[in-house]
Amino acid sequence: MSIEKIVCVPDSFKGSATAAQAAAALAAGARQVFPRAEVVELPFADGGEGTLDALLAVWGREAETVEVVDAIGRPRTARFGRSADGATAILEAAEGNGLPHVSDVEAQPLRADTFGVGLIARHLLDAGVEEILLCIGGSASTDGGLGLLAALGARIDYDYDGAGFGGGRLHAVRSIDLEGLHPAARRVRWRIAVDVDNPLTGERGAAAVFGPQKGASDADVATLDAGLSHLADVVAAHSGADAGELRATAGFGAAGGMPLALVPLLSAEVLPGSRLVAEAVGLDAALADADLVLTGEGALDTQSLGGKVVDAVRSRAPGGAVVVVIAGTVKLTAADVRAAGLTAAFSIAPGAASLDELLAAAPALIEDAAANACALLDR
């Protein structure tokens, strides 16, 4: 089979290889077999953890930092990225409200907020960016994005005094005054990457589904859900949106309801994370004339085919291309793989090994698996 162009477009292998490291390993394996082929390395992500690093690798840029606060108001240094021309910024919300950054203390689901996320965004607006790609996974907060708005200059009027902008206070919000909002907040293009379709409230809402993961008790979940519902009424009154639609819109339950504040009030656009990243890195153009596409992630399973990296790659690969998945573990049958439109899938595990052993040797194992897969095509 003639292989002239190979595109290596993996997700990270979480805990063992970044997307950039995985792409380099896939490329090294491919070059062992096809040394004369054009090999393109394109680190990818689905809008969740690792998206910042993936885009920085593609852009050839280093992460920048700014001093902000975490989800419970403690100082921390947050990372963000900007394109070479400074027009587009990538912001992982978890840098300002991430659950891992508050895991050293008892969970505070009613207090945690998105103020730190807003401080990162404010820094970017001050720098004159034209577009913010906001990736909102991994949050500790359920505040409907209210803290973010406050950090951008909005004034929140409450029925009582108290600290922070956490979800436990949402029921007391009387109004939101946007007069002091950062002048660029409504000029910049906001695009929000989500990887869930949960609505804002109800049985599948932000509080009910994700609240317990953030330490919320049953009583806390009820408080948070009622607060988000009330905040939808307040936001609707200011924006002209329909409160019922805000509560029911798919994706608004992501990251503690953060899209609630951004979409109606700042004209943000909510997108599946893989689509947002695909547009940002130019995935379609890279894949257009590929003969072989090597993709991968830590575990290939049914979730991989529902909006994740492998799904994005297989749906965009040209019809005549061979698409091979290299993964830490493969949990689909051969029939499942073919039915999904993939050519084949291979695990990097060379035999019996512990998870620690696989994690430590992941880049070398990815390279070896890619070389073996390519060898099947070299005839």
Side-chain angles (χ1 to χ4, degrees):
M1 181 176 181
S2 176
I3 301 293
E4 297 182 2
K5 181 178 179 181
I6 304 169
V7 180
C8 302
V9 54
D11 196 354
S12 63
F13 285 57
K14 290 181 174 57
S16 58
T18 65
Q21 291 169 334
L26 291 174
R31 291 188 181 103
Q32 290 183 33
V33 181
F34 298 109
R36 294 182 179 84
E38 176 190 359
V39 181
V40 177
E41 298 175 28
L42 195 66
F44 203 65
D46 61 9
E49 179 186 359
T51 303
L52 171 61
D53 290 329
L55 262 63
L56 289 174
V58 172
W59 289 344
R61 301 282 291 173
E62 296 292 328
E64 302 175 55
T65 60
V66 61
E67 298 305 312
V68 297
V69 295
D70 66 17
I72 56 175
R74 301 178 302 178
R76 70 168 265 99
T77 301
R79 301 165 67 243
F80 65 91
R82 283 188 289 179
S83 58
D85 62 4
T88 301
I90 172 72
L91 192 172
E92 280 191 6
E95 289 287 320
N97 76 331
L99 194 58
H101 303 307
V102 294
S103 61
D104 60 316
V105 296
E106 185 177 352
Q108 301 180 55
L110 300 182
R111 176 185 174 188
D113 64 34
T114 55
F115 193 82
V117 183
L119 292 179
I120 306 172
R122 187 179 190 94
H123 178 76
L124 294 171
L125 296 178
D126 287 343
V129 302
E130 299 172 8
E131 179 178 23
I132 295 177
L133 308 180
L134 178 60
C135 304
I136 60 175
S139 71
S141 56
T142 310
D143 74 346
L146 198 66
L148 187 155
L149 277 182
L152 293 181
R155 181 179 178 276
I156 315 302
D157 186 16
Y158 288 100
D159 274 337
Y160 66 91
D161 293 330
F165 302 92
R169 301 183 67 204
L170 297 182
H171 68 280
V173 176
R174 281 197 297 253
S175 63
I176 302 171
D177 184 352
L178 300 181
E179 185 175 348
L181 197 68
H182 192 292
R186 284 186 279 197
R187 288 201 308 265
V188 74
R189 183 185 186 191
W190 296 86
R191 292 204 289 166
I192 309 173
V194 301
D195 61 359
V196 300
D197 62 359
N198 300 72
L200 182 70
T201 60
E203 293 181 357
R204 295 188 62 248
V209 175
F210 305 110
Q213 300 172 14
K214 305 173 187 185
S217 65
D218 290 346
D220 293 337
V221 166
T223 297
L224 293 169
D225 190 67
L228 288 171
S229 182
H230 172 72
L231 184 61
D233 289 330
V234 175
V235 169
H238 282 268
S239 64
D242 180 88
E245 290 184 6
L246 294 179
R247 284 189 278 267
T249 299
F252 271 37
M258 198 183 303
L260 174 61
L262 293 170
V263 174
L265 299 177
L266 302 184
S267 300
E269 179 183 7
V270 173
L271 297 172
S274 58
R275 175 183 162 191
L276 184 149
V277 179
E279 294 177 3
V281 303
L283 179 61
D284 290 339
L287 293 175
D289 53 353
D291 300 304
L292 170 61
V293 179
L294 296 176
T295 184
E297 60 181 341
L300 178 68
D301 54 26
T302 54
Q303 292 186 4
S304 304
L305 307 178
K308 301 294 185 180
V309 167
V310 170
D311 184 38
V313 173
R314 66 163 181 165
S315 66
R316 288 173 165 81
V322 173
V323 182
V324 176
V325 180
I326 305 295
T329 59
V330 176
K331 300 180 180 180
L332 300 179
T333 66
D336 291 335
V337 170
R338 291 194 299 273
L342 301 166
T343 305
F346 300 92
S347 169
I348 66 172
S354 70
L355 178 59
D356 288 341
E357 289 171 332
L358 292 176
L359 293 176
L365 294 173
I366 294 169
E367 178 179 345
D368 198 49
N372 280 329
C374 288
L376 295 172
L377 305 173
D378 185 24
R379 54 178 180 165

